[in-house]
Amino acid sequence: MDVSYRDEAVASAAASVAGRLVADGVPARLAGGDPTLWGEDAEAEAAVRLGWLTLPRRSRELLPELGELAGRARAQGLTNVVLAGMGGSSLAAEVICATADVPLTVLDTSDPEQVRRTLDDRLDATLLVVAGKSGTTVETECQLRIYERRFAEAGIDPAGHVVVVTDPGSPLAGRAAEAGYHLVLAVPDVGGRYSALSAYGLVPAALAGADVERLLDDAEEVLPLLSRETGNPGLDLGAALGGSALRGRDKLVLEDRLSAATGLPDWIEQLVAESTGKQGKGILPVVAADPNGTSDELIVAIESDPADVRVDGPLGAQFLVWEYATAVAGLLLGIDPFDQPNVAESKDNTAVLLALPDLPTGAPAFVDGPVEVYGAPTAKDLPGVFAELLHAVPATGYLSIMAYLDRMAAFDAPVPEGADFEQMTDAWMMADAATLRALLALRTDRPVTFGWGPRFLHSTGQYHKGGPQNGVFLQITGAVAEDVPVPGLPYTLGRLQLAQALGDLGALETRGRPAVRLHLTDRAAGVAHLLAAAQEA
């Protein structure tokens, strides 16, 4: 595992803080799990959140059970592994499986169309992994209820098709015991975003066919380095992140085009944004974007060049080193890297909205084709709205696009007969709401981020509300053609999804964040209209 500085200013910023960290004994204290590092206010939280430091060894206890569970699943023909989990309960497993090139379907959404397409895929061969630390996450609860109903309707005993991963004593653990589901208890002294090497990352990955023992081997190999004052990749990376942020380079551009690890920046995004984005401070990860060459950027590459910092190493070691580095960066920024004080706000807003007879969507400011525009823009068409939002981004700020849609819908786009892969990719891109990020990024030198809702609420959502007051927000929602009821609950997935969008929008607006909501009355036509308008902006 190697962290190298490729930029003199980064090396200087890191050196300016590394000496203080070493003088304070931080490397040995952190590796030893000292909860006092982040101050008195953070000590209680840190005392029950540092178990990730020992996971490369502790998680080996899971290996016999995982081997037996995976073997039994294969013998039963359960080859379609679906993971119902949000944020820290799904992102690591998604990266592990993508890197190992083994199939895993991640269901981290309340979108009815995305849930329905997953439900309709090989139900009799489906093994549903339901993962959640608290056991009360609303999206995961809904997905479990919907799958239970679908299994029952198909004459399938859910007990043989559901595996639950949760903390001891959670409501989900009790639910699993009552229903006869296979229950894997995770260690409780690890926060969700630091849980990559715990049961949350390992159980779904092992069931999908990934070599999780190798993952732990690679993490354990780097573990002894984390107490060292020199040659410590976690300290080197943390000093670069935190030292650079203190000097104003707080936009973390993540590059991984040549990396053997697939999708690692998505996991890093949650870890860094949710850990550091609070008290008006934070480091903003920017994923799938080219650098703009601005003074507030720090380019960190995973086994790639060019970069200000390059991080080389296998996936298991990457997980552990980034966790350590994030804890160090939090220390340098003067925040608690283990809490998420603003995440619950949007959840609470959602609960209040769901209790109302009708959701308060309000009236659109204007309509442009299949797109309703909500908010207070002065523009009268979509190109004007985009231009207005880009102009509103402060000199040190960013634009965030938040799309509450089916993130797999682009693959439904028609492709020309006989098309090659490049032509198919082009067709998918022009039907993908995420393409809007790249189109708007061409028109500004400020970072443009993109998140699928409600997935991002469990990651960058903390940064949006708790981080620096310099974000501008574009929210996209869509009409639901065929809704999915949630058995036993008084709402559908479509209603839940819209309530989550409106709840988060309200949380942003109460902080004075500039925000516009675009509602697609026809999703496919609406996305095409947005992309065409972005090219005119």
Side-chain angles (χ1 to χ4, degrees):
M1 188 77 199
D2 181 62
V3 174
S4 54
Y5 304 149
R6 305 299 183 90
D7 179 88
E8 289 185 7
V10 172
S12 173
S16 72
V17 297
R20 172 162 58 89
L21 293 170
V22 169
D24 291 340
V26 169
R29 290 172 63 192
L30 177 52
D34 182 354
T36 66
L37 279 169
W38 298 272
E40 185 176 344
D41 291 342
E43 183 176 348
E45 182 76 19
V48 294
R49 289 292 178 264
L50 288 168
W52 51 271
L53 288 158
T54 59
L55 286 177
R57 293 170 182 155
R58 274 200 294 173
S59 288
R60 292 185 183 279
E61 300 172 4
L62 288 170
L63 294 178
E65 180 181 4
L66 294 184
E68 180 181 342
L69 193 58
R72 189 161 65 242
R74 285 192 297 270
Q76 294 174 331
L78 302 182
T79 56
N80 181 35
V81 181
V82 176
L83 172 58
M86 302 298 297
S89 298
S90 62
L91 284 169
E94 186 172 53
V95 174
I96 295 167
C97 291
T99 300
D101 196 23
V102 295
L104 174 71
T105 299
V106 176
L107 199 57
D108 56 353
T109 185
S110 53
D111 185 79
E113 295 184 10
Q114 190 172 335
V115 170
R116 190 184 309 106
R117 76 169 62 241
T118 307
L119 279 171
D120 292 342
D121 182 21
R122 298 167 289 162
L123 186 69
D124 59 341
T126 294
L127 180 61
L128 178 69
V129 181
V130 182
K133 183 175 177 64
S134 70
T136 60
T137 303
V138 64
E139 299 95 336
T140 307
E141 169 70 16
C142 290
Q143 291 156 5
L144 176 56
R145 287 172 177 264
I146 291 166
Y147 259 97
E148 286 175 330
R149 171 69 62 85
R150 183 62 68 91
F151 281 136
E153 291 174 347
I156 297 171
D157 181 4
H161 288 253
V162 177
V163 173
V164 170
V165 184
T166 190
D167 279 12
S170 80
L172 188 54
R175 176 87 166 272
E178 291 174 8
Y181 301 146
H182 188 101
L183 174 63
V184 181
L185 292 175
V187 291
D189 58 347
V190 178
R193 58 189 177 274
Y194 290 81
S195 66
L197 299 172
S198 77
Y200 293 106
L202 301 184
V203 172
L207 291 173
D211 184 354
V212 297
E213 184 173 8
R214 173 64 182 274
L215 201 72
L216 295 176
D217 289 343
D218 291 335
E220 188 168 4
E221 188 172 337
V222 80
L223 192 59
L225 303 179
L226 300 183
S227 60
R228 293 171 51 172
E229 296 180 353
T230 60
N232 179 338
L235 182 67
D236 293 342
L237 180 57
L241 296 177
S244 296
L246 289 173
R247 294 191 178 188
R249 297 177 69 171
D250 59 355
K251 309 303 186 298
L252 173 60
V253 180
L254 294 162
E255 165 63 61
D256 73 332
R257 271 174 271 200
L258 300 178
S259 173
T262 302
L264 185 59
D266 289 332
W267 176 83
I268 295 171
E269 179 182 45
Q270 186 211 14
L271 175 69
V272 173
E274 195 171 29
S275 296
T276 68
K278 56 200 75 168
Q279 300 175 23
K281 308 173 186 178
I283 298 170
L284 175 69
V286 184
V287 177
D290 293 325
N292 289 311
T294 55
S295 60
D296 58 347
E297 286 182 338
L298 176 69
I299 306 168
V300 177
I302 313 298
E303 301 179 331
S304 300
D305 279 316
D308 300 322
V309 181
R310 176 166 169 156
V311 185
D312 291 274
L315 183 57
Q318 292 272 3
F319 282 143
L320 189 60
V321 165
W322 277 97
E323 289 165 350
Y324 186 104
T326 300
V328 170
L331 173 61
L332 292 170
L333 292 174
I335 54 91
D336 177 357
F338 305 113
D339 69 350
Q340 48 282 333
N342 303 109
V343 168
E345 183 177 352
S346 291
K347 296 180 182 179
D348 294 340
N349 288 355
T350 297
V352 170
L353 291 172
L354 285 173
L356 300 175
D358 297 297
L359 295 178
T361 56
F366 66 90
V367 178
D368 187 330
V371 181
E372 297 174 342
V373 180
Y374 293 83
T378 59
K380 299 303 179 185
D381 60 15
L382 276 176
V385 169
F386 292 147
E388 195 172 296
L389 286 171
L390 291 169
H391 182 72
V393 179
T396 59
Y398 66 100
L399 172 65
S400 177
I401 304 170
M402 309 165 295
Y404 289 78
L405 301 169
D406 175 3
R407 66 182 175 117
M408 307 304 294
F411 295 111
D412 295 335
V415 297
E417 187 175 351
D420 59 24
F421 182 73
E422 184 176 348
Q423 291 171 317
M424 288 190 290
T425 301
D426 288 343
W428 294 330
M429 284 184 62
M430 294 316 297
D432 190 352
T435 302
L436 184 61
R437 189 212 64 76
L439 292 175
L440 294 182
L442 291 172
R443 287 158 173 75
T444 179
D445 65 355
R446 302 311 308 148
V448 181
T449 67
F450 184 92
W452 294 104
R455 170 184 170 117
F456 79 87
L457 291 177
H458 300 260
S459 60
T460 52
Q462 168 62 42
Y463 183 96
H464 292 166
K465 294 178 281 290
Q469 178 93 356
N470 58 12
V472 173
F473 299 91
L474 175 61
Q475 186 184 86
I476 306 171
T477 57
V480 174
E482 186 180 348
D483 214 339
V484 176
V486 183
L489 294 177
Y491 50 78
T492 63
L493 284 183
R495 180 176 169 87
L496 170 62
Q497 184 185 41
L498 184 55
Q500 289 176 312
L502 296 176
D504 191 52
L505 193 63
L508 295 170
E509 290 173 342
T510 59
R511 288 171 168 76
R513 270 39 171 188
V516 168
R517 179 169 74 95
L518 306 180
H519 185 72
L520 313 182
T521 53
D522 178 296
R523 291 192 178 199
V527 168
H529 199 63
L530 293 182
L531 300 187
Q535 294 176 74
E536 298 176 25

